[in-house]
Amino acid sequence: MDLGLQFSPQMWSSRESLDFLKSYKPLNEEVSHLRILLYGPVGAGKSSFVNSADSALRGRLAGRAKTDAISGQSYTKQYKTYKIRKDNQSHYSFVFNDIMGIEQNLNHGVNVDDLKLALQGHMKDNYKFNPVSPLTQNDPDYNSNPSLDDKVHVLVCVIPADQVSLLTDRVVQKLRQVRAAATELDIPQMAILTKVDQACPEVKRDFSNLHKSKYLKEQVEKLSMILGLPVNCIFLLKNYASETKISDEINEPILDALNQIVNYGDDYLEDL
């Protein structure tokens, strides 16, 4: 048994978060949407988080962002923007950008220089990542004059909860380089710990133990030390994986994390 004291801030209910996200529009009139960039190691659950957020927001399982749990290599090969449709056929006022995963080998996974260009809005949609040759100004997929809409407004690191202690020095170095680039641009940063049920047997047995797990609390604190992020900017959740229907229990931490991500991003846009 590894249950400890409740350590999370009080979460909004699924309905409160959903109502906020449905009504959200950026205060900064220069942008039509808030851009959320997801990054992290291969297999962390970046694409799965896009699908899970889509599912929680639309009230049904979604799978537009393709995933692969077998190969051990990044299944995402292109820089892709995902919009999520509302019931009334309009779209939510935030978008996700999914990227190739970070790998240990210098010649594999997303190139950190590409991530830096994406942060600045220089990367066009559907750009195909090349680990050994980052995007250049001569490339047709290079956006030489990015608008505020094109730029990233909040950066989210995605890490499996059971892999925090196993992150290699090389991967950590790359994660920190991306974070440093975002910091220079004043872009707010957050993190998500996925696969919490695989990391903690008590959570797998009873998902209501999510914010009572001593082990998960330790992983949040470890990631905070590794990346330098405040503990209250790191969220625990489970992506939809084997489920055949949505549940409020899984939705609530997903929507709560998304709620805070949007708030942080909007603060950034307002300051601009």
Side-chain angles (χ1 to χ4, degrees):
M1 182 78 65
D2 70 341
L3 300 186
L5 297 175
Q6 185 93 6
F7 67 91
S8 71
Q10 183 176 3
M11 296 196 301
W12 290 20
S13 70
S14 296
R15 174 49 56 187
E16 288 174 320
S17 291
L18 191 57
D19 288 345
F20 164 74
L21 293 167
K22 280 185 175 180
S23 62
Y24 168 74
K25 289 195 177 302
L27 291 174
N28 190 320
E29 295 181 354
E30 290 184 44
V31 299
S32 59
H33 54 249
L34 180 81
R35 187 176 298 277
I36 303 164
L37 177 63
L38 306 173
Y39 78 113
V42 169
K46 299 179 294 297
S47 300
S48 294
F49 177 67
V50 174
N51 290 334
S52 297
D54 196 347
S55 300
L57 290 167
R58 299 181 72 178
R60 63 169 178 80
L61 290 180
R64 287 187 298 148
K66 304 307 177 187
T67 61
D68 178 19
I70 299 175
S71 70
Q73 297 179 336
S74 183
Y75 198 67
T76 302
K77 306 297 184 184
Q78 294 177 301
Y79 186 66
K80 190 167 180 63
T81 300
Y82 291 95
K83 298 179 180 180
I84 298 177
R85 191 178 297 279
K86 293 183 186 178
D87 296 336
N88 61 4
Q89 302 304 305
S90 63
H91 290 91
Y92 283 88
S93 297
F94 49 87
V95 299
F96 296 100
N97 275 102
D98 194 13
I99 62 162
M100 176 180 275
I102 290 174
E103 295 193 37
Q104 158 79 8
N105 194 307
L106 285 174
N107 296 325
H108 293 83
V110 67
N111 191 297
V112 171
D113 288 338
D114 270 346
L115 273 173
K116 293 177 181 179
L117 291 174
L119 289 172
Q120 299 171 61
H122 289 300
M123 188 172 289
K124 293 183 180 179
D125 214 31
N126 297 317
Y127 163 70
K128 188 173 182 179
F129 292 103
N130 184 339
V132 297
S133 179
L135 182 66
T136 67
Q137 295 184 17
N138 297 323
D139 194 297
D141 287 314
Y142 184 88
N143 181 3
S144 59
N145 188 29
S147 67
L148 186 56
D149 250 343
D150 298 323
K151 298 178 181 180
V152 170
H153 308 132
V154 59
L155 176 68
V156 180
C157 184
V158 183
I159 306 283
D162 58 350
Q163 298 291 313
V164 176
S165 299
L166 301 178
L167 292 172
T168 66
D169 291 343
R170 183 66 59 78
V171 169
V172 169
Q173 182 183 30
K174 291 181 178 182
L175 293 173
R176 286 176 174 170
Q177 286 174 351
V178 177
R179 200 167 119 65
T183 299
E184 287 184 10
L185 298 168
D186 292 327
I187 297 173
Q189 301 152 50
M190 309 180 80
I192 289 170
L193 285 178
T194 59
K195 305 182 182 181
V196 292
D197 53 329
Q198 296 180 31
C200 179
E202 289 300 327
V203 173
K204 186 173 185 177
R205 180 184 63 82
D206 184 352
F207 197 70
S208 66
N209 290 325
L210 177 63
H211 292 289
K212 302 174 186 176
S213 167
K214 182 179 178 181
Y215 174 79
L216 291 179
K217 179 179 183 292
E218 290 173 349
Q219 303 318 299
V220 168
E221 292 170 346
K222 284 181 183 177
L223 187 62
S224 174
M225 292 295 293
I226 289 171
L227 293 182
L229 282 171
V231 167
N232 64 1
C233 289
I234 302 174
F235 293 85
L236 295 166
L237 56 84
K238 168 181 165 50
N239 286 324
Y240 282 102
S242 60
E243 293 74 18
T244 57
K245 59 182 180 180
I246 64 168
S247 75
D248 288 339
E249 193 172 54
I250 295 176
N251 281 355
E252 190 165 279
I254 293 171
L255 293 173
D256 187 63
L258 187 53
N259 188 330
Q260 294 304 318
I261 289 168
V262 168
N263 273 321
Y264 275 51
D266 200 59
D267 288 344
Y268 166 73
L269 286 173
E270 186 178 8
D271 289 341
L272 292 178

